[in-house]
């Protein structure tokens, strides 16, 4: 949409802003100079280029057209406060509600070919999502683990319910360490590889933290569904969650390592997915008791004890 | 000059001009010199000193009752949440401290057996409440809210009052026979009080956020009170 205002020859504004129809006003006053301001939200559709292969198109998306260059410049202009002022940290929370919802949706529905960072985060990594998703996940795992243990041991006489509050601190340590240290290591690794093999795509540390934070969102409903005390159900949930969030991570980081040695690239992606799986399996094993085995153990222990008591008396 | 005495005897003489120069005063006949005697209190410094000395001299009971009345008034505002500014304008942290300590004490168990005792300790409850409130306040300020740090702490602390009442009720209910009905009663009470806390705190806090980020600022409050409700609900005495 173009908006224009009419100026007379001295440059004074003689008419208010008129939206839309510039042709009639130009026709009415052909001597007027017009200033037109293009709506920055539009992507210019007149770009033509040589036919490209599918992979390179993705790179162009990542490198950006003018649009993303503009937004990157603007993003660079935003963060200008020194790091000891409050305003510096406010730039990391500059998101609206609908933006956070969009990013969560993007992490739940990984579409092949659409890069999460490029699509949702490029201009504006935020710390709100990662921090509060991790906090929710900590409490979801601790509370679901507690509930599931309570339900599993419900009928037993020897079981006394305890809220197991220690596990909240352990869960918090694990989840926050994963959400911050693994991105740090990955960022350091990518920077090191970038210095050896020039890659077109590079991510900043905050963008990596952002991707990891939002990719953990799928584990919140997974943790709640882990209350169901069936081993098969739990492992199916592990696989689904790993598939979704692993593919988000893999599709995000594949363009960054693609230029590199084939083996190193594959090893990086495999390590990312493996660490993710380690997190989910570790949480399942530590916070949730195994469902059927405990029942079997106590029911086989009881007759043994009665037999021993009978023998000794 | 104004150091010792706040009130100075003053002699003031007012001179009235001829009454004919002022039309409205033409029917008033006033003699020429009127000596006026009185006392003047000098505004800035001596007023503060006067206030200080008057609260210093009052009895301890007066001081405590004044603070307790302020706390009690805010409790009423939390229990019947209306759009009012009292909590925000005259914030204080006594109420949150009293509520937090009461809640932490009630969540204690009788025995000190640490192996079987998996519940939250006093320090854990204290840390969760205060660090949770600080984190939520920082979050709302970082999102661009225009509420001050201590005002937000005050509101969040005072809105724990319904949950503290729920804890009291739960402890009383737990004196009766344990069983599913017992649990359902406790669950019902905790859910109602949880909703009440959220409504009360949202009534005070929501206006201070920019409109397109209200949900982002309210969600951590929801999480905070949910965790406290969970601690209350899972409390089991020895």
């Amino acid at each position: 949409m173009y908006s224009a205002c009419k100026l007379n020859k001295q440059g004074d504004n003689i008419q208010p802003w008129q939206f839309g129809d510039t042709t009639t006003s130009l026709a009415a006053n052909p001597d007027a100079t017009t200033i037109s301001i293009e709506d920055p939200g539009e992507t210019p559709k007149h770009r033509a280029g040589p036919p490209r292969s599918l992979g390179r198109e993705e790179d162009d998306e990542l490198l950006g057209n003018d649009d993303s260059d503009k937004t990157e410049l603007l993003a660079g202009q935003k963060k200008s406060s020194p790091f000891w002022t409050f305003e510096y940290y406010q730039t990391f929370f500059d998101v609206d509600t609908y933006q956070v919802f969009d990013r969560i949706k993007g992490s739940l529905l990984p579409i092949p070919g659409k890069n999460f960072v490029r699509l949702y985060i490029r201009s504006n990594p935020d710390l709100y999502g990662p921090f509060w998703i991790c906090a929710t996940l900590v409490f979801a795992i601790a509370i679901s683990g507690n509930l599931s243990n309570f339900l599993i041991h419900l009928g037993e006489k020897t079981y006394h319910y305890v809220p197991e509050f220690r596990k909240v601190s352990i869960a918090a340590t694990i989840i926050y360490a994963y959400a911050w240290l693994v991105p740090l290591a990955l960022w350091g690794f990518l920077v090191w590889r970038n210095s050896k093999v020039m890659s077109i795509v590079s991510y900043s540390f905050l963008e990596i933290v952002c991707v990891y934070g939002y990719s953990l969102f799928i584990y919140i409903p997974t943790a709640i569904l882990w209350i169901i005390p069936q081993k098969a159900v739990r492992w199916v949930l592990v696989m689904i969650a790993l598939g979704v969030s692993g593919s988000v991570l893999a599709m995000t980081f594949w363009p960054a390592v693609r230029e590199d040695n084939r083996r190193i690239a594959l090893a990086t992606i495999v390590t990312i997915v493996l660490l993710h799986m380690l997190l989910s399996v570790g949480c399942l094993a530590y916070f949730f008791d195994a469902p059927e085995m405990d029942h079997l153990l106590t029911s086989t222990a009881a007759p043994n004890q009665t037999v021993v008591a009978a023998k000794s008396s | 000059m104004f150091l010792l005495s706040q009130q100075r005897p003053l002699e003031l003489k007012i001179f009235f001009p001829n009454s004919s120069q002022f039309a409205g005063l033409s029917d008033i006949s006033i003699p020429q010199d009127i000596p006026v005697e009185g006392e003047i209190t000098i505004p800035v410094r001596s007023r503060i000193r006067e206030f200080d000395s008057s609260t210093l001299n009052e009895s301890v009971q007066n001081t405590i009752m004044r603070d307790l009345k302020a706390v009690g008034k805010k409790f009423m505002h939390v229990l019947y949440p209306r759009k009012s500014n009292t909590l925000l304008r005259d914030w204080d942290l006594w109420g949150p401290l009293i509520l937090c300590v009461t809640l932490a004490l009630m969540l204690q168990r009788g025995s000190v057996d640490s192996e079987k005792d998996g519940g939250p300790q006093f320090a854990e409850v204290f840390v969760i409440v205060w660090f949770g409130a600080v984190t939520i306040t920082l979050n709302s300020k970082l999102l661009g809210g225009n509420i001050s740090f201590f005002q937000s702490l005050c509101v969040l602390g005072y809105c724990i009052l319904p949950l503290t009442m729920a804890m009291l009720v739960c402890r009383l209910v737990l004196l009766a026979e344990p069983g599913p009905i017992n649990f359902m009663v406790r669950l019902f009470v905790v859910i109602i009080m949880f909703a009440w806390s959220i409504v009360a705190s949202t009534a005070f806090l929501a206006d201070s956020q920019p409109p397109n980020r209200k949900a982002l600022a309210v969600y951590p409050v929801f999480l905070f009170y949910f965790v406290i409700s969970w601690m209350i609900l899972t409390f089991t005495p020895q």
Side-chain angles (χ1 to χ4, degrees), chain A residues 88-112:
Chain A
Y88 176 75
Y89 297 102
Q90 258 183 330
T91 56
F92 303 139
F93 282 77
D94 194 14
V95 276
D96 293 335
T97 311
Y98 75 92
Q99 281 176 323
V100 172
F101 280 148
D102 277 342
R103 290 174 188 196
I104 292 180
K105 247 190 332 202
S107 80
L108 288 177
L109 306 166
I111 306 176

PDB file of all heavy atoms in Angstrom, chain A residues 88-112:
ATOM      1  N   TYR A  88      18.814  -2.992  28.333  1.00  0.00           N
ATOM      2  CA  TYR A  88      19.473  -4.016  27.524  1.00  0.00           C
ATOM      3  C   TYR A  88      18.724  -5.334  27.649  1.00  0.00           C
ATOM      4  O   TYR A  88      18.473  -6.020  26.653  1.00  0.00           O
ATOM      5  CB  TYR A  88      20.913  -4.168  28.008  1.00  0.00           C
ATOM      6  CG  TYR A  88      21.690  -5.244  27.325  1.00  0.00           C
ATOM      7  CD1 TYR A  88      22.163  -5.086  26.029  1.00  0.00           C
ATOM      8  CD2 TYR A  88      21.980  -6.437  27.976  1.00  0.00           C
ATOM      9  CE1 TYR A  88      22.880  -6.073  25.410  1.00  0.00           C
ATOM     10  CE2 TYR A  88      22.699  -7.426  27.357  1.00  0.00           C
ATOM     11  CZ  TYR A  88      23.153  -7.241  26.086  1.00  0.00           C
ATOM     12  OH  TYR A  88      23.859  -8.222  25.475  1.00  0.00           O
ATOM     13  N   TYR A  89      18.339  -5.684  28.875  1.00  0.00           N
ATOM     14  CA  TYR A  89      17.659  -6.956  29.066  1.00  0.00           C
ATOM     15  C   TYR A  89      16.208  -6.886  28.615  1.00  0.00           C
ATOM     16  O   TYR A  89      15.601  -7.901  28.295  1.00  0.00           O
ATOM     17  CB  TYR A  89      17.752  -7.382  30.526  1.00  0.00           C
ATOM     18  CG  TYR A  89      19.177  -7.600  30.923  1.00  0.00           C
ATOM     19  CD1 TYR A  89      19.872  -6.651  31.654  1.00  0.00           C
ATOM     20  CD2 TYR A  89      19.850  -8.740  30.511  1.00  0.00           C
ATOM     21  CE1 TYR A  89      21.195  -6.841  31.974  1.00  0.00           C
ATOM     22  CE2 TYR A  89      21.166  -8.933  30.833  1.00  0.00           C
ATOM     23  CZ  TYR A  89      21.835  -7.976  31.557  1.00  0.00           C
ATOM     24  OH  TYR A  89      23.149  -8.164  31.871  1.00  0.00           O
ATOM     25  N   GLN A  90      15.656  -5.668  28.577  1.00  0.00           N
ATOM     26  CA  GLN A  90      14.287  -5.547  28.096  1.00  0.00           C
ATOM     27  C   GLN A  90      14.177  -5.895  26.624  1.00  0.00           C
ATOM     28  O   GLN A  90      13.117  -6.308  26.172  1.00  0.00           O
ATOM     29  CB  GLN A  90      13.777  -4.122  28.312  1.00  0.00           C
ATOM     30  CG  GLN A  90      12.882  -4.020  29.506  1.00  0.00           C
ATOM     31  CD  GLN A  90      12.320  -2.652  29.689  1.00  0.00           C
ATOM     32  OE1 GLN A  90      12.950  -1.657  29.325  1.00  0.00           O
ATOM     33  NE2 GLN A  90      11.152  -2.567  30.247  1.00  0.00           N
ATOM     34  N   THR A  91      15.268  -5.727  25.862  1.00  0.00           N
ATOM     35  CA  THR A  91      15.190  -6.062  24.447  1.00  0.00           C
ATOM     36  C   THR A  91      15.014  -7.556  24.236  1.00  0.00           C
ATOM     37  O   THR A  91      14.587  -7.974  23.166  1.00  0.00           O
ATOM     38  CB  THR A  91      16.458  -5.629  23.698  1.00  0.00           C
ATOM     39  OG1 THR A  91      17.585  -6.241  24.336  1.00  0.00           O
ATOM     40  CG2 THR A  91      16.619  -4.138  23.728  1.00  0.00           C
ATOM     41  N   PHE A  92      15.330  -8.370  25.238  1.00  0.00           N
ATOM     42  CA  PHE A  92      15.132  -9.800  25.073  1.00  0.00           C
ATOM     43  C   PHE A  92      13.728 -10.237  25.419  1.00  0.00           C
ATOM     44  O   PHE A  92      13.404 -11.405  25.325  1.00  0.00           O
ATOM     45  CB  PHE A  92      16.105 -10.586  25.953  1.00  0.00           C
ATOM     46  CG  PHE A  92      17.528 -10.263  25.699  1.00  0.00           C
ATOM     47  CD1 PHE A  92      18.419 -10.133  26.736  1.00  0.00           C
ATOM     48  CD2 PHE A  92      17.980 -10.080  24.410  1.00  0.00           C
ATOM     49  CE1 PHE A  92      19.737  -9.823  26.488  1.00  0.00           C
ATOM     50  CE2 PHE A  92      19.286  -9.773  24.158  1.00  0.00           C
ATOM     51  CZ  PHE A  92      20.174  -9.643  25.212  1.00  0.00           C
ATOM     52  N   PHE A  93      12.903  -9.321  25.888  1.00  0.00           N
ATOM     53  CA  PHE A  93      11.541  -9.683  26.247  1.00  0.00           C
ATOM     54  C   PHE A  93      10.563  -8.901  25.396  1.00  0.00           C
ATOM     55  O   PHE A  93       9.427  -8.692  25.785  1.00  0.00           O
ATOM     56  CB  PHE A  93      11.296  -9.385  27.734  1.00  0.00           C
ATOM     57  CG  PHE A  93      11.894 -10.428  28.630  1.00  0.00           C
ATOM     58  CD1 PHE A  93      13.249 -10.451  28.874  1.00  0.00           C
ATOM     59  CD2 PHE A  93      11.105 -11.396  29.209  1.00  0.00           C
ATOM     60  CE1 PHE A  93      13.806 -11.415  29.683  1.00  0.00           C
ATOM     61  CE2 PHE A  93      11.649 -12.366  30.022  1.00  0.00           C
ATOM     62  CZ  PHE A  93      13.009 -12.372  30.257  1.00  0.00           C
ATOM     63  N   ASP A  94      11.026  -8.512  24.224  1.00  0.00           N
ATOM     64  CA  ASP A  94      10.227  -7.651  23.373  1.00  0.00           C
ATOM     65  C   ASP A  94       9.349  -8.494  22.469  1.00  0.00           C
ATOM     66  O   ASP A  94       9.479  -8.461  21.244  1.00  0.00           O
ATOM     67  CB  ASP A  94      11.185  -6.776  22.556  1.00  0.00           C
ATOM     68  CG  ASP A  94      10.465  -5.640  21.905  1.00  0.00           C
ATOM     69  OD1 ASP A  94       9.314  -5.386  22.292  1.00  0.00           O
ATOM     70  OD2 ASP A  94      11.041  -5.025  21.006  1.00  0.00           O
ATOM     71  N   VAL A  95       8.483  -9.294  23.067  1.00  0.00           N
ATOM     72  CA  VAL A  95       7.599 -10.142  22.280  1.00  0.00           C
ATOM     73  C   VAL A  95       6.174  -9.911  22.742  1.00  0.00           C
ATOM     74  O   VAL A  95       5.928  -9.606  23.888  1.00  0.00           O
ATOM     75  CB  VAL A  95       7.917 -11.643  22.455  1.00  0.00           C
ATOM     76  CG1 VAL A  95       9.010 -12.067  21.539  1.00  0.00           C
ATOM     77  CG2 VAL A  95       8.249 -11.953  23.880  1.00  0.00           C
ATOM     78  N   ASP A  96       5.255 -10.096  21.797  1.00  0.00           N
ATOM     79  CA  ASP A  96       3.843 -10.034  22.148  1.00  0.00           C
ATOM     80  C   ASP A  96       3.299 -11.434  22.316  1.00  0.00           C
ATOM     81  O   ASP A  96       3.931 -12.417  21.941  1.00  0.00           O
ATOM     82  CB  ASP A  96       3.073  -9.307  21.039  1.00  0.00           C
ATOM     83  CG  ASP A  96       3.461  -7.855  20.966  1.00  0.00           C
ATOM     84  OD1 ASP A  96       3.901  -7.322  21.989  1.00  0.00           O
ATOM     85  OD2 ASP A  96       3.323  -7.271  19.880  1.00  0.00           O
ATOM     86  N   THR A  97       2.071 -11.490  22.846  1.00  0.00           N
ATOM     87  CA  THR A  97       1.465 -12.797  23.137  1.00  0.00           C
ATOM     88  C   THR A  97       1.362 -13.645  21.873  1.00  0.00           C
ATOM     89  O   THR A  97       1.701 -14.836  21.875  1.00  0.00           O
ATOM     90  CB  THR A  97       0.069 -12.600  23.735  1.00  0.00           C
ATOM     91  OG1 THR A  97       0.146 -11.646  24.775  1.00  0.00           O
ATOM     92  CG2 THR A  97      -0.458 -13.896  24.273  1.00  0.00           C
ATOM     93  N   TYR A  98       0.909 -13.007  20.763  1.00  0.00           N
ATOM     94  CA  TYR A  98       0.683 -13.819  19.563  1.00  0.00           C
ATOM     95  C   TYR A  98       2.002 -14.334  19.004  1.00  0.00           C
ATOM     96  O   TYR A  98       2.077 -15.410  18.432  1.00  0.00           O
ATOM     97  CB  TYR A  98      -0.072 -13.010  18.503  1.00  0.00           C
ATOM     98  CG  TYR A  98       0.756 -11.973  17.793  1.00  0.00           C
ATOM     99  CD1 TYR A  98       1.408 -12.277  16.604  1.00  0.00           C
ATOM    100  CD2 TYR A  98       0.902 -10.696  18.311  1.00  0.00           C
ATOM    101  CE1 TYR A  98       2.177 -11.334  15.960  1.00  0.00           C
ATOM    102  CE2 TYR A  98       1.673  -9.752  17.671  1.00  0.00           C
ATOM    103  CZ  TYR A  98       2.312 -10.074  16.498  1.00  0.00           C
ATOM    104  OH  TYR A  98       3.079  -9.139  15.875  1.00  0.00           O
ATOM    105  N   GLN A  99       3.093 -13.572  19.221  1.00  0.00           N
ATOM    106  CA  GLN A  99       4.399 -14.032  18.729  1.00  0.00           C
ATOM    107  C   GLN A  99       4.851 -15.279  19.488  1.00  0.00           C
ATOM    108  O   GLN A  99       5.381 -16.216  18.900  1.00  0.00           O
ATOM    109  CB  GLN A  99       5.446 -12.939  18.896  1.00  0.00           C
ATOM    110  CG  GLN A  99       5.382 -11.880  17.834  1.00  0.00           C
ATOM    111  CD  GLN A  99       6.379 -10.778  18.097  1.00  0.00           C
ATOM    112  OE1 GLN A  99       6.618 -10.391  19.231  1.00  0.00           O
ATOM    113  NE2 GLN A  99       6.953 -10.260  17.047  1.00  0.00           N
ATOM    114  N   VAL A 100       4.643 -15.253  20.811  1.00  0.00           N
ATOM    115  CA  VAL A 100       5.039 -16.427  21.594  1.00  0.00           C
ATOM    116  C   VAL A 100       4.221 -17.640  21.160  1.00  0.00           C
ATOM    117  O   VAL A 100       4.753 -18.742  20.994  1.00  0.00           O
ATOM    118  CB  VAL A 100       4.869 -16.146  23.097  1.00  0.00           C
ATOM    119  CG1 VAL A 100       5.086 -17.395  23.901  1.00  0.00           C
ATOM    120  CG2 VAL A 100       5.824 -15.079  23.541  1.00  0.00           C
ATOM    121  N   PHE A 101       2.912 -17.430  20.945  1.00  0.00           N
ATOM    122  CA  PHE A 101       2.085 -18.552  20.499  1.00  0.00           C
ATOM    123  C   PHE A 101       2.531 -19.072  19.137  1.00  0.00           C
ATOM    124  O   PHE A 101       2.558 -20.272  18.891  1.00  0.00           O
ATOM    125  CB  PHE A 101       0.619 -18.129  20.424  1.00  0.00           C
ATOM    126  CG  PHE A 101      -0.053 -18.121  21.762  1.00  0.00           C
ATOM    127  CD1 PHE A 101      -1.058 -17.229  22.048  1.00  0.00           C
ATOM    128  CD2 PHE A 101       0.331 -19.012  22.750  1.00  0.00           C
ATOM    129  CE1 PHE A 101      -1.665 -17.211  23.289  1.00  0.00           C
ATOM    130  CE2 PHE A 101      -0.270 -18.998  23.989  1.00  0.00           C
ATOM    131  CZ  PHE A 101      -1.274 -18.093  24.256  1.00  0.00           C
ATOM    132  N   ASP A 102       2.883 -18.155  18.228  1.00  0.00           N
ATOM    133  CA  ASP A 102       3.352 -18.582  16.913  1.00  0.00           C
ATOM    134  C   ASP A 102       4.616 -19.415  17.020  1.00  0.00           C
ATOM    135  O   ASP A 102       4.777 -20.412  16.314  1.00  0.00           O
ATOM    136  CB  ASP A 102       3.648 -17.353  16.043  1.00  0.00           C
ATOM    137  CG  ASP A 102       2.401 -16.821  15.392  1.00  0.00           C
ATOM    138  OD1 ASP A 102       1.409 -17.570  15.338  1.00  0.00           O
ATOM    139  OD2 ASP A 102       2.430 -15.675  14.922  1.00  0.00           O
ATOM    140  N   ARG A 103       5.527 -18.992  17.888  1.00  0.00           N
ATOM    141  CA  ARG A 103       6.772 -19.736  18.012  1.00  0.00           C
ATOM    142  C   ARG A 103       6.524 -21.112  18.608  1.00  0.00           C
ATOM    143  O   ARG A 103       7.141 -22.101  18.203  1.00  0.00           O
ATOM    144  CB  ARG A 103       7.750 -18.957  18.897  1.00  0.00           C
ATOM    145  CG  ARG A 103       8.227 -17.723  18.196  1.00  0.00           C
ATOM    146  CD  ARG A 103       9.063 -16.838  19.056  1.00  0.00           C
ATOM    147  NE  ARG A 103       9.314 -15.579  18.357  1.00  0.00           N
ATOM    148  CZ  ARG A 103      10.253 -14.718  18.709  1.00  0.00           C
ATOM    149  NH1 ARG A 103      11.028 -14.960  19.725  1.00  0.00           N
ATOM    150  NH2 ARG A 103      10.406 -13.599  18.033  1.00  0.00           N
ATOM    151  N   ILE A 104       5.600 -21.183  19.569  1.00  0.00           N
ATOM    152  CA  ILE A 104       5.289 -22.496  20.149  1.00  0.00           C
ATOM    153  C   ILE A 104       4.672 -23.393  19.092  1.00  0.00           C
ATOM    154  O   ILE A 104       5.018 -24.576  18.963  1.00  0.00           O
ATOM    155  CB  ILE A 104       4.356 -22.332  21.356  1.00  0.00           C
ATOM    156  CG1 ILE A 104       5.094 -21.650  22.488  1.00  0.00           C
ATOM    157  CG2 ILE A 104       3.827 -23.661  21.813  1.00  0.00           C
ATOM    158  CD1 ILE A 104       4.266 -21.440  23.711  1.00  0.00           C
ATOM    159  N   LYS A 105       3.768 -22.821  18.284  1.00  0.00           N
ATOM    160  CA  LYS A 105       3.156 -23.615  17.220  1.00  0.00           C
ATOM    161  C   LYS A 105       4.203 -24.104  16.236  1.00  0.00           C
ATOM    162  O   LYS A 105       4.164 -25.231  15.774  1.00  0.00           O
ATOM    163  CB  LYS A 105       2.128 -22.743  16.470  1.00  0.00           C
ATOM    164  CG  LYS A 105       0.724 -23.195  16.673  1.00  0.00           C
ATOM    165  CD  LYS A 105      -0.274 -22.529  15.772  1.00  0.00           C
ATOM    166  CE  LYS A 105       0.135 -21.154  15.349  1.00  0.00           C
ATOM    167  NZ  LYS A 105      -0.942 -20.289  14.921  1.00  0.00           N
ATOM    168  N   GLY A 106       5.164 -23.222  15.922  1.00  0.00           N
ATOM    169  CA  GLY A 106       6.210 -23.624  14.991  1.00  0.00           C
ATOM    170  C   GLY A 106       7.060 -24.749  15.527  1.00  0.00           C
ATOM    171  O   GLY A 106       7.552 -25.577  14.777  1.00  0.00           O
ATOM    172  N   SER A 107       7.238 -24.804  16.852  1.00  0.00           N
ATOM    173  CA  SER A 107       8.047 -25.877  17.399  1.00  0.00           C
ATOM    174  C   SER A 107       7.271 -27.174  17.464  1.00  0.00           C
ATOM    175  O   SER A 107       7.853 -28.247  17.538  1.00  0.00           O
ATOM    176  CB  SER A 107       8.535 -25.506  18.798  1.00  0.00           C
ATOM    177  OG  SER A 107       7.517 -25.727  19.740  1.00  0.00           O
ATOM    178  N   LEU A 108       5.940 -27.097  17.460  1.00  0.00           N
ATOM    179  CA  LEU A 108       5.153 -28.320  17.535  1.00  0.00           C
ATOM    180  C   LEU A 108       4.919 -28.934  16.170  1.00  0.00           C
ATOM    181  O   LEU A 108       4.660 -30.120  16.069  1.00  0.00           O
ATOM    182  CB  LEU A 108       3.781 -28.026  18.168  1.00  0.00           C
ATOM    183  CG  LEU A 108       3.784 -27.748  19.659  1.00  0.00           C
ATOM    184  CD1 LEU A 108       2.387 -27.413  20.106  1.00  0.00           C
ATOM    185  CD2 LEU A 108       4.295 -28.943  20.411  1.00  0.00           C
ATOM    186  N   LEU A 109       4.964 -28.115  15.121  1.00  0.00           N
ATOM    187  CA  LEU A 109       4.663 -28.608  13.783  1.00  0.00           C
ATOM    188  C   LEU A 109       5.858 -28.338  12.877  1.00  0.00           C
ATOM    189  O   LEU A 109       5.871 -27.326  12.180  1.00  0.00           O
ATOM    190  CB  LEU A 109       3.444 -27.889  13.209  1.00  0.00           C
ATOM    191  CG  LEU A 109       2.193 -27.918  14.064  1.00  0.00           C
ATOM    192  CD1 LEU A 109       1.201 -26.884  13.541  1.00  0.00           C
ATOM    193  CD2 LEU A 109       1.568 -29.285  14.019  1.00  0.00           C
ATOM    194  N   PRO A 110       6.865 -29.179  12.920  1.00  0.00           N
ATOM    195  CA  PRO A 110       8.026 -28.909  12.071  1.00  0.00           C
ATOM    196  C   PRO A 110       7.702 -29.236  10.620  1.00  0.00           C
ATOM    197  O   PRO A 110       7.392 -30.366  10.298  1.00  0.00           O
ATOM    198  CB  PRO A 110       9.088 -29.852  12.631  1.00  0.00           C
ATOM    199  CG  PRO A 110       8.341 -30.940  13.275  1.00  0.00           C
ATOM    200  CD  PRO A 110       7.029 -30.403  13.705  1.00  0.00           C
ATOM    201  N   ILE A 111       7.747 -28.225   9.792  1.00  0.00           N
ATOM    202  CA  ILE A 111       7.460 -28.434   8.373  1.00  0.00           C
ATOM    203  C   ILE A 111       8.797 -28.515   7.661  1.00  0.00           C
ATOM    204  O   ILE A 111       9.626 -27.613   7.795  1.00  0.00           O
ATOM    205  CB  ILE A 111       6.638 -27.258   7.818  1.00  0.00           C
ATOM    206  CG1 ILE A 111       5.392 -27.065   8.667  1.00  0.00           C
ATOM    207  CG2 ILE A 111       6.256 -27.519   6.385  1.00  0.00           C
ATOM    208  CD1 ILE A 111       4.583 -25.876   8.238  1.00  0.00           C
ATOM    209  N   PRO A 112       9.019 -29.590   6.909  1.00  0.00           N
ATOM    210  CA  PRO A 112      10.314 -29.709   6.243  1.00  0.00           C
ATOM    211  C   PRO A 112      10.516 -28.577   5.250  1.00  0.00           C
ATOM    212  O   PRO A 112       9.617 -28.252   4.476  1.00  0.00           O
ATOM    213  CB  PRO A 112      10.243 -31.064   5.524  1.00  0.00           C
ATOM    214  CG  PRO A 112       8.859 -31.516   5.646  1.00  0.00           C
ATOM    215  CD  PRO A 112       8.177 -30.761   6.714  1.00  0.00           C
TER     216      PRO A 112
END
